[in-house]
Structures are given as structure tokens and as C-alpha cells.
Amino acid sequence: MNRHPFRGPTCWLRSLVAAGTTLVFLWTLVLSASPSIHERLHPDANRVEHSCAVTIVSSGQFNHSAQVPLVDPPVPAVLLAKVARLSPQWVQSSYLGASVFEHAPPALA
């Protein structure tokens, strides 16, 4: 068993992927700060419909994308002209017919 999980044949590959990802993200930040360099890479960078990683980072939406609402907006309720008048009614309790407290506990409990 390998005692050092960060040493071995795949350690250099992990380091290379991490360094590459970091460099690509830093290059994206540089391009978002300098529109002239971005226009040299993309000739259509000044168009409205242009979309790439640089425009996403410069717009500030790289953490999340705008979600489509899952439900429809609430529809206002139709107001009734008359409110029905409520009348109180007495309802017998269902516990009275069960006789829960009718008997005493056993004598030798």
C-alpha cells in the first residue's frame, strides 16, 4: 500500500492539469480586462451575440447561469361579489364514544 497518496505515477499528471486550469482561468481574466487583446483573438468580439468564456467572466455570470422559472407566475384570484355567510355547527367529539378512561388500572399492576 502506498503511504503517500500524492506521490506516484499520477502526481505529475494532477499537477499538470491543475496548473493548466489555473493558467487558462488567469488568461481568461486577462482577456476580460483587455478588450483589445480579446478582439485580436476573436474578430467578432464586438458583436452582441458573441459568447465565449471571456464574455461570461466579464459579465460576472461565471458562477451561475440565469435559471428559467420552474413555475408560472401567480394568477390573481377572481374576487367574489358576495362572501358566503358561515353558520356555526356543533360537532360531537369522537373521543367521547371510545370510553378510554372508563376503566381503572389493574389492581395488581
Side-chain angles (χ1 to χ4, degrees), residues 37-98:
I37 300 174
H38 183 223
E39 287 178 7
R40 287 184 187 176
L41 292 176
H42 294 285
D44 63 341
N46 56 357
R47 293 186 183 168
V48 176
E49 66 271 357
H50 176 74
S51 178
C52 68
V54 176
T55 57
I56 292 172
V57 169
S58 63
S59 69
Q61 294 185 355
F62 65 93
N63 285 333
H64 67 284
S65 60
Q67 295 291 325
V68 178
L70 297 177
V71 295
D72 292 334
V75 179
V78 178
L79 298 176
L80 301 175
K82 287 186 174 182
V83 177
R85 186 171 182 171
L86 301 177
S87 60
Q89 292 185 356
W90 183 78
V91 178
Q92 183 179 4
S93 175
S94 61
Y95 293 108
L96 295 177

Coordinates of all heavy atoms in Angstrom, one line a residue, residues 37-98:
I37 N -7.1 42.9 -26.8 CA -6.5 41.6 -27.0 C -7.5 40.6 -27.3 O -7.4 39.7 -28.2 CB -5.6 41.2 -25.8 CG1 -4.5 42.2 -25.5 CG2 -5.1 39.8 -26.0 CD1 -3.8 41.9 -24.2
H38 N -8.7 40.7 -26.7 CA -9.8 39.8 -26.9 C -10.3 40.0 -28.4 O -10.6 39.0 -29.0 CB -10.9 40.1 -25.9 CG -12.1 39.2 -26.1 ND1 -13.4 39.6 -26.0 CD2 -12.2 37.8 -26.3 CE1 -14.2 38.6 -26.2 NE2 -13.5 37.5 -26.4
E39 N -10.3 41.2 -28.9 CA -10.7 41.4 -30.3 C -9.7 40.8 -31.3 O -10.1 40.5 -32.4 CB -11.0 42.9 -30.5 CG -12.2 43.4 -29.9 CD -12.4 44.9 -30.1 OE1 -11.7 45.5 -30.9 OE2 -13.4 45.4 -29.5
R40 N -8.5 40.8 -30.9 CA -7.4 40.2 -31.8 C -7.7 38.7 -31.9 O -7.4 38.1 -32.9 CB -6.0 40.5 -31.2 CG -5.6 41.9 -31.4 CD -4.2 42.1 -31.0 NE -3.8 43.5 -31.0 CZ -2.6 43.9 -30.6 NH1 -1.7 43.1 -30.1 NH2 -2.4 45.2 -30.6
L41 N -8.1 38.1 -30.8 CA -8.3 36.6 -30.8 C -9.6 36.3 -31.5 O -9.7 35.3 -32.2 CB -8.3 36.0 -29.4 CG -7.0 36.1 -28.7 CD1 -7.2 35.6 -27.2 CD2 -6.0 35.2 -29.4
H42 N -10.7 37.1 -31.2 CA -12.0 36.8 -31.8 C -12.4 38.0 -32.7 O -12.6 39.1 -32.1 CB -13.1 36.7 -30.7 CG -12.9 35.5 -29.9 ND1 -13.2 34.2 -30.3 CD2 -12.5 35.3 -28.6 CE1 -13.0 33.4 -29.3 NE2 -12.6 34.0 -28.3
P43 N -12.4 37.9 -34.0 CA -12.8 39.0 -34.8 C -14.2 39.5 -34.5 O -14.5 40.7 -34.8 CB -12.6 38.6 -36.2 CG -12.2 37.2 -36.2 CD -12.1 36.7 -34.7
D44 N -15.1 38.7 -34.1 CA -16.5 39.1 -33.8 C -16.7 39.4 -32.3 O -17.9 39.3 -31.9 CB -17.4 37.9 -34.3 CG -17.3 36.7 -33.5 OD1 -16.2 36.5 -32.9 OD2 -18.2 35.8 -33.5
A45 N -15.7 39.8 -31.6 CA -15.9 40.0 -30.2 C -16.7 41.3 -29.9 O -17.2 41.4 -28.8 CB -14.5 40.2 -29.5
N46 N -16.8 42.2 -30.8 CA -17.6 43.4 -30.6 C -19.1 43.2 -30.9 O -19.9 44.1 -30.7 CB -17.1 44.6 -31.4 CG -17.0 44.3 -32.8 OD1 -17.4 43.2 -33.3 ND2 -16.6 45.2 -33.6
R47 N -19.5 42.0 -31.3 CA -20.9 41.8 -31.6 C -21.7 41.4 -30.4 O -21.1 40.9 -29.4 CB -21.1 40.7 -32.6 CG -20.5 41.0 -34.0 CD -20.8 39.9 -35.0 NE -20.2 40.3 -36.3 CZ -20.1 39.4 -37.2 NH1 -20.6 38.2 -37.1 NH2 -19.6 39.7 -38.4
V48 N -23.0 41.7 -30.4 CA -23.8 41.4 -29.2 C -24.0 39.9 -29.0 O -24.0 39.4 -27.9 CB -25.2 42.1 -29.4 CG1 -26.1 41.7 -28.2 CG2 -25.1 43.6 -29.5
E49 N -24.1 39.1 -30.0 CA -24.4 37.7 -29.9 C -23.1 36.9 -29.6 O -23.2 35.7 -29.5 CB -25.1 37.2 -31.1 CG -24.3 37.2 -32.4 CD -24.5 38.5 -33.2 OE1 -25.3 39.4 -32.8 OE2 -23.9 38.6 -34.2
H50 N -21.9 37.5 -29.5 CA -20.7 36.8 -29.3 C -20.7 36.3 -27.9 O -21.0 37.0 -26.9 CB -19.5 37.8 -29.5 CG -18.2 37.1 -29.1 ND1 -17.6 36.2 -29.9 CD2 -17.4 37.3 -28.0 CE1 -16.5 35.8 -29.4 NE2 -16.3 36.5 -28.2
S51 N -20.4 35.0 -27.7 CA -20.4 34.4 -26.4 C -19.2 33.4 -26.3 O -19.0 32.5 -27.1 CB -21.7 33.6 -26.2 OG -21.7 32.9 -25.0
C52 N -18.4 33.7 -25.3 CA -17.2 32.8 -25.0 C -16.9 32.9 -23.5 O -17.6 33.7 -22.8 CB -16.0 33.2 -25.9 SG -15.3 34.8 -25.5
A53 N -15.9 32.3 -23.1 CA -15.6 32.3 -21.7 C -15.2 33.7 -21.2 O -15.5 34.0 -20.1 CB -14.4 31.3 -21.4
V54 N -14.6 34.5 -22.0 CA -14.2 35.8 -21.7 C -15.4 36.7 -21.4 O -15.5 37.5 -20.4 CB -13.3 36.4 -22.7 CG1 -12.9 37.9 -22.4 CG2 -12.0 35.6 -22.9
T55 N -16.4 36.6 -22.3 CA -17.6 37.4 -22.1 C -18.4 37.0 -20.9 O -19.0 37.8 -20.2 CB -18.5 37.4 -23.4 OG1 -18.8 36.0 -23.7 CG2 -17.8 38.0 -24.5
I56 N -18.4 35.7 -20.6 CA -19.1 35.2 -19.4 C -18.4 35.7 -18.2 O -19.1 36.1 -17.2 CB -19.2 33.7 -19.5 CG1 -20.1 33.2 -20.6 CG2 -19.7 33.1 -18.1 CD1 -20.1 31.7 -20.8
V57 N -17.1 35.7 -18.1 CA -16.4 36.1 -16.9 C -16.5 37.6 -16.8 O -16.7 38.1 -15.7 CB -14.9 35.7 -17.0 CG1 -14.0 36.4 -16.0 CG2 -14.7 34.2 -16.9
S58 N -16.4 38.4 -17.9 CA -16.5 39.8 -17.8 C -17.9 40.3 -17.4 O -18.1 41.3 -16.8 CB -16.1 40.5 -19.1 OG -16.9 40.1 -20.1
S59 N -19.0 39.5 -17.7 CA -20.3 39.9 -17.3 C -20.6 39.5 -15.9 O -21.6 39.9 -15.3 CB -21.4 39.2 -18.3 OG -21.4 37.8 -18.0
G60 N -19.8 38.7 -15.3 CA -20.0 38.3 -13.9 C -20.9 37.2 -13.7 O -21.3 36.9 -12.6
Q61 N -21.2 36.4 -14.7 CA -22.1 35.3 -14.5 C -21.4 33.9 -14.7 O -22.0 33.0 -15.1 CB -23.2 35.4 -15.6 CG -24.1 36.6 -15.4 CD -25.2 36.6 -16.3 OE1 -25.3 35.7 -17.2 NE2 -26.1 37.5 -16.2
F62 N -20.2 33.8 -14.3 CA -19.5 32.5 -14.4 C -19.8 31.6 -13.3 O -19.5 30.4 -13.4 CB -18.0 32.7 -14.6 CG -17.3 33.3 -13.5 CD1 -16.7 32.5 -12.5 CD2 -17.2 34.7 -13.3 CE1 -16.1 33.1 -11.4 CE2 -16.5 35.2 -12.3 CZ -16.0 34.4 -11.3
N63 N -20.3 32.1 -12.2 CA -20.7 31.2 -11.0 C -22.0 30.5 -11.3 O -22.2 29.4 -10.8 CB -20.7 32.0 -9.7 CG -19.4 32.4 -9.2 OD1 -18.4 31.7 -9.5 ND2 -19.3 33.5 -8.5
H64 N -22.9 31.1 -11.9 CA -24.2 30.5 -12.2 C -24.8 31.1 -13.4 O -24.4 32.2 -13.9 CB -25.1 30.8 -11.0 CG -25.5 32.2 -10.8 ND1 -24.7 33.2 -10.3 CD2 -26.6 32.9 -11.1 CE1 -25.3 34.3 -10.3 NE2 -26.5 34.2 -10.8
S65 N -25.7 30.4 -14.0 CA -26.4 30.9 -15.2 C -27.8 31.3 -14.7 O -28.3 30.8 -13.7 CB -26.4 29.9 -16.3 OG -27.1 28.7 -15.8
A66 N -28.4 32.1 -15.5 CA -29.8 32.5 -15.2 C -30.7 31.4 -15.4 O -30.7 30.7 -16.4 CB -30.2 33.7 -16.1
Q67 N -31.5 31.1 -14.4 CA -32.4 29.9 -14.4 C -33.8 30.4 -15.0 O -34.3 31.4 -14.7 CB -32.6 29.4 -13.0 CG -31.4 28.8 -12.4 CD -31.0 27.5 -13.1 OE1 -31.8 26.7 -13.6 NE2 -29.7 27.3 -13.3
V68 N -34.4 29.5 -15.7 CA -35.7 29.7 -16.2 C -36.7 29.3 -15.0 O -36.5 28.3 -14.3 CB -36.0 28.7 -17.4 CG1 -37.4 28.9 -17.8 CG2 -35.0 29.0 -18.5
P69 N -37.7 30.2 -14.7 CA -38.6 29.8 -13.6 C -39.3 28.5 -13.9 O -39.7 28.2 -15.0 CB -39.6 31.0 -13.6 CG -39.2 31.9 -14.7 CD -38.0 31.4 -15.4
L70 N -39.4 27.7 -12.8 CA -40.0 26.4 -12.9 C -41.5 26.4 -12.9 O -42.1 25.5 -13.3 CB -39.4 25.5 -11.8 CG -37.9 25.2 -11.9 CD1 -37.5 24.4 -10.7 CD2 -37.5 24.5 -13.1
V71 N -42.0 27.5 -12.3 CA -43.5 27.6 -12.2 C -43.9 28.9 -12.8 O -43.2 29.8 -13.0 CB -43.9 27.6 -10.7 CG1 -43.6 26.3 -10.0 CG2 -43.3 28.7 -9.9
D72 N -45.2 28.9 -13.2 CA -45.8 30.1 -13.8 C -46.0 31.2 -12.7 O -46.2 30.8 -11.5 CB -47.1 29.8 -14.5 CG -46.9 28.9 -15.7 OD1 -45.8 29.0 -16.3 OD2 -47.8 28.2 -16.1
P73 N -46.0 32.4 -13.1 CA -46.2 33.4 -12.0 C -47.7 33.3 -11.6 O -48.5 32.8 -12.3 CB -46.0 34.8 -12.8 CG -46.1 34.4 -14.2 CD -45.7 33.0 -14.4
P74 N -47.9 33.7 -10.3 CA -49.3 33.5 -9.8 C -50.3 34.4 -10.5 O -50.0 35.5 -10.9 CB -49.1 33.9 -8.3 CG -47.9 34.8 -8.3 CD -47.0 34.3 -9.4
V75 N -51.4 33.8 -10.7 CA -52.5 34.5 -11.4 C -53.4 35.1 -10.3 O -53.8 34.4 -9.3 CB -53.4 33.5 -12.3 CG1 -54.5 34.2 -12.9 CG2 -52.5 32.8 -13.3
P76 N -53.8 36.4 -10.4 CA -54.6 37.0 -9.3 C -56.0 36.3 -9.3 O -56.6 35.9 -10.3 CB -54.7 38.4 -9.7 CG -54.2 38.5 -11.1 CD -53.4 37.3 -11.4
A77 N -56.4 36.1 -8.1 CA -57.7 35.4 -7.8 C -58.9 36.3 -8.2 O -58.8 37.5 -8.1 CB -57.8 35.0 -6.4
V78 N -59.9 35.7 -8.7 CA -61.1 36.5 -9.0 C -61.8 36.8 -7.7 O -62.1 35.9 -6.9 CB -62.0 35.6 -10.0 CG1 -63.3 36.4 -10.3 CG2 -61.2 35.3 -11.3
L79 N -62.1 38.0 -7.5 CA -62.8 38.4 -6.3 C -64.3 38.1 -6.4 O -64.9 38.5 -7.5 CB -62.6 39.9 -6.0 CG -61.1 40.3 -5.8 CD1 -61.0 41.8 -5.6 CD2 -60.6 39.6 -4.5
L80 N -64.9 37.6 -5.4 CA -66.3 37.3 -5.4 C -67.1 38.5 -5.0 O -66.7 39.3 -4.2 CB -66.6 36.1 -4.5 CG -65.9 34.8 -4.8 CD1 -66.2 33.8 -3.8 CD2 -66.3 34.3 -6.2
A81 N -68.3 38.7 -5.6 CA -69.1 39.8 -5.2 C -69.7 39.6 -3.8 O -69.8 40.6 -3.1 CB -70.2 39.9 -6.3
K82 N -70.1 38.4 -3.5 CA -70.6 38.1 -2.1 C -69.8 37.1 -1.4 O -69.4 36.1 -2.0 CB -72.1 37.6 -2.3 CG -73.1 38.6 -2.6 CD -74.5 38.0 -2.6 CE -75.5 39.0 -2.8 NZ -76.9 38.4 -2.7
V83 N -69.6 37.3 -0.2 CA -68.9 36.3 0.7 C -70.0 35.5 1.4 O -70.9 36.0 2.0 CB -68.0 37.0 1.7 CG1 -67.4 36.0 2.6 CG2 -67.0 37.9 1.0
A84 N -69.9 34.2 1.3 CA -70.9 33.3 1.9 C -70.8 33.5 3.4 O -69.8 33.5 4.0 CB -70.6 31.9 1.5
R85 N -72.0 33.6 4.0 CA -72.1 33.7 5.5 C -72.0 32.3 6.1 O -72.7 31.4 5.7 CB -73.4 34.3 5.8 CG -73.5 34.7 7.3 CD -74.7 35.5 7.6 NE -74.7 35.8 9.0 CZ -75.6 36.6 9.5 NH1 -76.5 37.2 8.8 NH2 -75.5 36.8 10.8
L86 N -71.1 32.2 7.1 CA -70.8 31.0 7.7 C -71.7 30.8 8.9 O -72.0 31.8 9.7 CB -69.4 30.9 8.1 CG -68.4 31.0 7.0 CD1 -66.9 30.9 7.6 CD2 -68.6 29.8 6.0
S87 N -72.2 29.6 9.2 CA -73.1 29.4 10.4 C -72.4 28.4 11.2 O -71.9 27.3 10.7 CB -74.5 28.9 10.0 OG -74.4 27.8 9.2
P88 N -72.2 28.6 12.5 CA -71.6 27.6 13.4 C -72.4 26.4 13.6 O -73.6 26.4 13.7 CB -71.4 28.4 14.7 CG -72.5 29.4 14.7 CD -72.7 29.8 13.3
Q89 N -71.8 25.2 13.6 CA -72.4 24.0 13.9 C -71.6 23.2 14.9 O -70.4 23.2 14.9 CB -72.5 23.1 12.6 CG -73.5 23.7 11.6 CD -73.7 22.8 10.4 OE1 -73.0 21.8 10.3 NE2 -74.5 23.2 9.5
W90 N -72.4 22.5 15.8 CA -71.7 21.8 16.9 C -71.4 20.4 16.4 O -72.3 19.7 15.8 CB -72.6 21.7 18.1 CG -71.9 21.0 19.3 CD1 -70.9 21.5 20.1 CD2 -72.2 19.7 19.7 NE1 -70.6 20.6 21.0 CE2 -71.3 19.5 20.8 CE3 -73.0 18.7 19.3 CZ2 -71.3 18.3 21.5 CZ3 -73.0 17.5 20.0 CH2 -72.1 17.3 21.0
V91 N -70.2 19.9 16.6 CA -69.8 18.5 16.2 C -69.4 17.8 17.4 O -68.6 18.3 18.2 CB -68.6 18.6 15.2 CG1 -68.2 17.2 14.8 CG2 -69.0 19.4 14.0
Q92 N -70.0 16.6 17.6 CA -69.7 15.8 18.8 C -68.2 15.2 18.7 O -67.8 14.8 17.6 CB -70.6 14.6 18.9 CG -70.4 13.8 20.2 CD -71.4 12.6 20.3 OE1 -72.2 12.4 19.4 NE2 -71.3 11.9 21.4
S93 N -67.5 15.3 19.8 CA -66.2 14.8 19.9 C -66.1 13.3 19.7 O -66.9 12.5 20.2 CB -65.5 15.1 21.2 OG -64.3 14.6 21.3
S94 N -65.1 12.8 18.9 CA -65.0 11.4 18.7 C -64.4 10.6 19.8 O -64.5 9.4 19.9 CB -64.2 11.1 17.4 OG -62.9 11.7 17.6
Y95 N -63.8 11.3 20.8 CA -63.2 10.7 22.0 C -64.3 10.2 23.0 O -64.0 9.4 23.8 CB -62.2 11.6 22.6 CG -61.0 11.8 21.7 CD1 -60.8 13.0 21.2 CD2 -60.1 10.8 21.5 CE1 -59.7 13.2 20.3 CE2 -59.0 11.0 20.7 CZ -58.8 12.2 20.1 OH -57.7 12.4 19.3
L96 N -65.4 10.9 23.0 CA -66.4 10.5 24.0 C -67.0 9.1 23.8 O -67.4 8.5 24.7 CB -67.5 11.6 24.0 CG -67.1 13.0 24.4 CD1 -68.3 13.9 24.2 CD2 -66.5 13.0 25.8
G97 N -67.1 8.7 22.6 CA -67.6 7.3 22.3 C -66.6 6.2 22.5 O -67.0 5.1 22.5
A98 N -65.3 6.5 22.7 CA -64.3 5.5 22.7 C -64.2 4.9 24.1 O -63.6 3.8 24.3 CB -63.0 6.0 22.3

